[in-house]
Every structure is written in structure tokens, then in C-alpha cells.
Amino acid sequence: MSRWIVALLVPLSFLTACGGSSDTAAHQPAVVEEVAGTDVSRITLTPEAAKRLDIKTADVEKRAGATIIPYSAIFYSPTGEAWTYTNREGLTFVREQIVVDSIDGARVRLTKGPAPGTKVATVGVAELYGAETGVGADSGH
């Protein structure tokens, strides 16, 4: 529950330079595009933004017939839904809804989620949500 509260409070200053430049496209740390037919967006980070956020990923695993992701890959929305950010190419991330079956320490067993072998973000998850939804975008920088 506290994970989504943190996400709501995380300023996008992690993603935005505090310089006075008003060049939008050339200096945007993230490009956010709607994914047609869904309520999620595709977030593409610049290499500099990914480095500042220290973005890390891990592979979705299949163990004993179960789909497993790291606990740090889970994000809870303000309405209580569980999500993860998939990373299928380069520095591009897409939020995907998951259903948690059980949590065992740092590992989470899913009944619904990305396929084994898919990469999911494990560090920078709250900042990706902020970039996607605009939370903290008016940070004054």
C-alpha cells in the first residue's frame, strides 16, 4: 500500500533537468505515447534519464509451473490494482496489470502477468508511473 503513496509523491525532478531550457522535444527525458486501445502509455526514456533513475530490470521467471517476478517490480495503483512495467525493447516501458497469487519474501507468484522471459522494471518503477501519469510534472523546474 505504501508503494503507491510513494509513487504519488515522487516528483518528476528525477526525470527533468532543472536547467532553464524551454526546448521541449530535444530535452525531454521521457517520451510518453498512448498505446492504442488501452488505458496505458508507452514510456521511452533517454539514456541519460535511465542512468539518473538507475533503471534496473529482471526477467520474469517460470518456476514449478508458476510465473514469478521480483517484489520490487510490483506497483500498486491508487485504486489498489497491481501492475508491473514491462521492458520489451531498449529503454521503452509499458505498464501491464498483474494478479498476485502470493508473496514469498522478495519473490511474487502471479496468476496473471507477463510471459516468462519478459523483462520488468525493478528500480525506477514509481518514477515510470510518474512520467506516464504526469504525477509531479509541475515541480517548478
Side-chain angles (χ1 to χ4, degrees), residues 29-112:
V31 174
V32 180
E33 306 166 289
E34 290 182 18
V35 175
T38 72
D39 63 347
V40 299
S41 297
R42 179 179 303 108
I43 305 150
T44 303
L45 300 175
T46 64
E48 295 80 17
K51 184 176 179 180
R52 267 195 309 269
L53 294 175
D54 194 29
I55 293 289
K56 300 273 191 274
T57 62
D59 289 335
V60 176
E61 299 176 10
K62 189 76 160 188
R63 289 188 190 168
T67 302
I68 307 291
I69 65 171
Y71 182 76
S72 59
I74 297 176
F75 173 82
Y76 292 98
S77 73
T79 56
E81 299 162 317
W83 300 83
T84 193
Y85 278 94
T86 60
N87 174 226
R88 290 187 166 89
E89 62 179 86
L91 294 175
T92 300
F93 298 85
V94 177
R95 183 168 44 101
E96 185 173 326
Q97 191 167 17
I98 59 175
V99 176
V100 175
D101 179 48
S102 61
I103 299 172
D104 183 16
R107 297 281 175 216
V108 178
R109 182 184 180 127
L110 304 178
T111 57
K112 174 187 172 193

